[in-house]
Amino acid sequence: MTEQKQSAETVEKTIETVEPPQQPGEPQEQERSGVLKNIIAIAIILAIGGSLYYYGQQQSHLLSAENQELRQQLESLKHQQSQDQQRIEALYKGQKQAFSQVAAQTVQNEQLDNRLQELQTKISALSSSDVKSWLLAQADFLVKMAGRKLWNDQDVITAAALLKNADASLAEMNDPSLIEIRRAITQDISELSAINQIDFDGIILRVNQLSNQVDNLRLADNTNDGSPMDEDNDELTGTLSEWRQNLSKSWSSFMDNFITIRRRDTAAEPLLAPNQDIYLRENIRARLLIAAQAIPRHQGEVFKQSLETVSTWVRAYFNINDPNTKAFLEEIDSLSQQPISITVPDHLSSQPLLEKLMQTRVRSLLSQSSETSQEG
């Protein structure tokens, strides 16, 4: 609007400058010139007004375009602001959850600290009687384990060692009332020490060594059973003139050996087919393996029967005059006389005493714990 006012003022100034000074004596010409000036002034005013209108329309279009762009930027800013607000809300929720988790963890830590303090209080509250009860329970367990090793495995050495450890636990208690039980444990240890030990591992090694020596045994030669059937002490001559004598000798030799009867004072030795000695040796190894497995199981009858079967097969099929066979059979006979089980006591005098004492102590501990829980 200010621009339009300025334009009108400039038009008026222009009209004023265009009008020439009136001269007297020229009225008609002045009127014509006045009309013309007015027309020109109106045309100028219209041109200026049109240009101003056109300029105003252009400015209004520019302003509307700028307003539209500003509106779009404003909408974009509003959308971005809403997104930022959502992100801020999400971050706020995450921080709130994190704070709640931290608070819950703090509560759990406080509970754990309280429990730890309670446990420390209970541990510090353990008296010497509780430690003695634990030592007594340990001694009872060791005595029971000694009985199992003695009766299940016949392991006298381990059983005696367990009894010694049990006695050491009772000695640590420093309780004079346990003298009777310790005396019983000492008596059990002395009885186990008097038992003759058997080297079971050594016997197993000897049996395994025999299994390795089976391939060194020589088979018996059963072809030397007397003179051959075609043996002839009367030699035939090579002269044709003595053909009668040679014929007579051949006839006599044939008739004498046609039916041959030989007398045997000993039992006939069985014969093996070719390559059957492989199976025989494997059967001997299998019997020796059975004997070795019977040793830790303390199966004396199985052990002796297996060795006797091996001895019978070796004497029947192998050369008993061979040095290797002789040494093999001597070892078999020595092992057959070896006992593989020992006589152990059927009970331990200290075990029932400890069981009775444990029952008494456990009952007293249970009663004390129940009283403590009721007071708490």
Side-chain angles (χ1 to χ4, degrees):
M1 296 297 293
T2 54
E3 293 178 356
Q4 291 179 358
K5 290 180 179 180
Q6 292 176 359
S7 300
E9 292 176 356
T10 53
V11 170
E12 291 178 355
K13 290 179 181 181
T14 305
I15 293 172
E16 291 177 356
T17 54
V18 170
E19 290 182 354
Q22 294 181 1
Q23 295 179 3
E26 296 179 356
Q28 293 180 352
E29 291 180 359
Q30 291 179 351
E31 290 177 0
R32 292 177 182 176
S33 61
V35 171
L36 182 60
K37 292 178 180 179
N38 291 331
I39 292 170
I40 293 170
I42 292 169
I44 292 170
I45 292 169
L46 291 174
I48 293 171
S51 62
L52 291 174
Y53 177 76
Y54 177 76
Y55 179 77
Q57 290 294 326
Q58 291 292 328
Q59 292 296 323
S60 64
H61 285 300
L62 290 174
L63 290 173
S64 62
E66 291 178 357
N67 292 332
Q68 184 68 25
E69 185 177 358
L70 290 174
R71 290 191 189 97
Q72 291 178 356
Q73 291 179 359
L74 182 61
E75 293 293 332
S76 176
L77 289 173
K78 289 181 179 179
H79 182 67
Q80 186 175 1
Q81 184 179 5
S82 63
Q83 290 182 350
D84 294 339
Q85 187 176 2
Q86 292 177 358
R87 291 177 184 175
I88 291 171
E89 290 178 356
L91 290 174
Y92 176 75
K93 291 180 180 179
Q95 290 179 355
K96 188 176 180 181
Q97 292 178 357
F99 288 148
S100 62
Q101 291 178 358
V102 170
Q105 188 67 30
T106 304
V107 173
Q108 291 180 357
N109 292 333
E110 291 178 356
Q111 293 177 355
L112 291 175
D113 292 338
N114 294 331
R115 292 180 182 177
L116 182 60
Q117 291 178 359
E118 291 178 359
L119 290 175
Q120 290 177 352
T121 304
K122 290 180 180 179
I123 292 172
S124 61
L126 288 175
S127 61
S128 60
S129 60
D130 297 328
V131 177
K132 290 181 179 180
S133 300
W134 182 82
L135 291 173
L136 182 61
Q138 183 180 8
D140 179 65
F141 173 77
L142 291 173
V143 171
K144 289 180 180 178
M145 287 297 298
R148 292 177 184 176
K149 294 297 292 183
L150 184 63
W151 299 316
N152 296 337
D153 302 334
Q154 293 189 354
D155 191 352
V156 179
I157 298 175
T158 304
L162 291 171
L163 290 176
K164 291 180 181 179
N165 291 333
D167 183 66
S169 297
L170 296 179
E172 190 176 352
M173 293 175 63
N174 195 17
D175 190 352
S177 62
L178 302 176
I179 295 297
E180 183 179 358
I181 299 177
R182 294 189 61 190
R183 186 181 296 111
I185 293 176
T186 304
Q187 182 180 356
D188 292 335
I189 294 173
S190 61
E191 290 179 359
L192 295 181
S193 301
I195 297 175
N196 293 326
Q197 302 294 323
I198 296 177
D199 187 8
F200 297 107
D201 294 335
I203 298 174
I204 294 174
L205 291 176
R206 290 172 63 184
V207 174
N208 292 335
Q209 185 63 27
L210 287 177
S211 179
N212 296 331
Q213 294 176 359
V214 173
D215 291 333
N216 298 331
L217 302 178
R218 288 182 55 189
L219 292 172
D221 188 6
N222 297 324
T223 60
N224 296 328
D225 55 353
S227 301
M229 293 179 61
D230 58 349
E231 182 180 3
D232 189 4
N233 294 327
D234 297 331
E235 296 181 358
L236 299 179
T237 61
T239 59
L240 294 176
S241 60
E242 295 180 356
W243 64 273
R244 293 181 182 274
Q245 292 84 351
N246 292 335
L247 180 61
S248 177
K249 290 179 181 180
S250 298
W251 179 257
S252 299
S253 175
F254 173 75
M255 293 302 296
D256 292 340
N257 297 322
F258 184 74
I259 298 175
T260 304
I261 299 174
R262 295 185 177 90
R263 182 177 179 179
R264 291 184 178 274
D265 296 332
T266 59
E269 296 180 357
L271 299 178
L272 286 175
N275 298 328
Q276 291 298 313
D277 62 312
I278 298 175
Y279 303 103
L280 175 61
R281 297 179 193 274
E282 293 300 325
N283 288 332
I284 293 174
R285 288 194 181 93
R287 288 291 177 176
L288 291 174
L289 178 61
I290 293 173
Q293 292 177 348
I295 295 171
R297 301 173 183 173
H298 311 292
Q299 299 173 347
E301 293 297 328
V302 176
F303 178 73
K304 289 183 179 181
Q305 289 177 3
S306 300
L307 293 181
E308 288 176 359
T309 302
V310 171
S311 178
T312 301
W313 289 349
V314 171
R315 295 180 190 277
Y317 293 101
F318 294 93
N319 186 2
I320 59 176
N321 295 321
D322 185 72
N324 293 329
T325 307
K326 286 183 178 180
F328 188 89
L329 291 174
E330 290 176 358
E331 185 68 14
I332 290 290
D333 295 337
S334 175
L335 286 172
S336 299
Q337 304 299 323
Q338 179 69 47
I340 60 172
S341 62
I342 57 178
T343 303
V344 296
D346 56 354
H347 70 282
L348 295 174
S349 59
S350 59
Q351 187 170 357
L353 298 176
L354 273 172
E355 289 180 355
K356 182 178 179 180
L357 183 61
M358 276 295 299
Q359 291 178 359
T360 305
R361 293 290 179 91
V362 168
R363 289 176 182 174
S364 63
L365 286 175
L366 290 175
S367 62
Q368 290 177 2
S369 62
S370 62
E371 291 176 359
T372 304
S373 61
Q374 291 176 1
E375 291 177 358

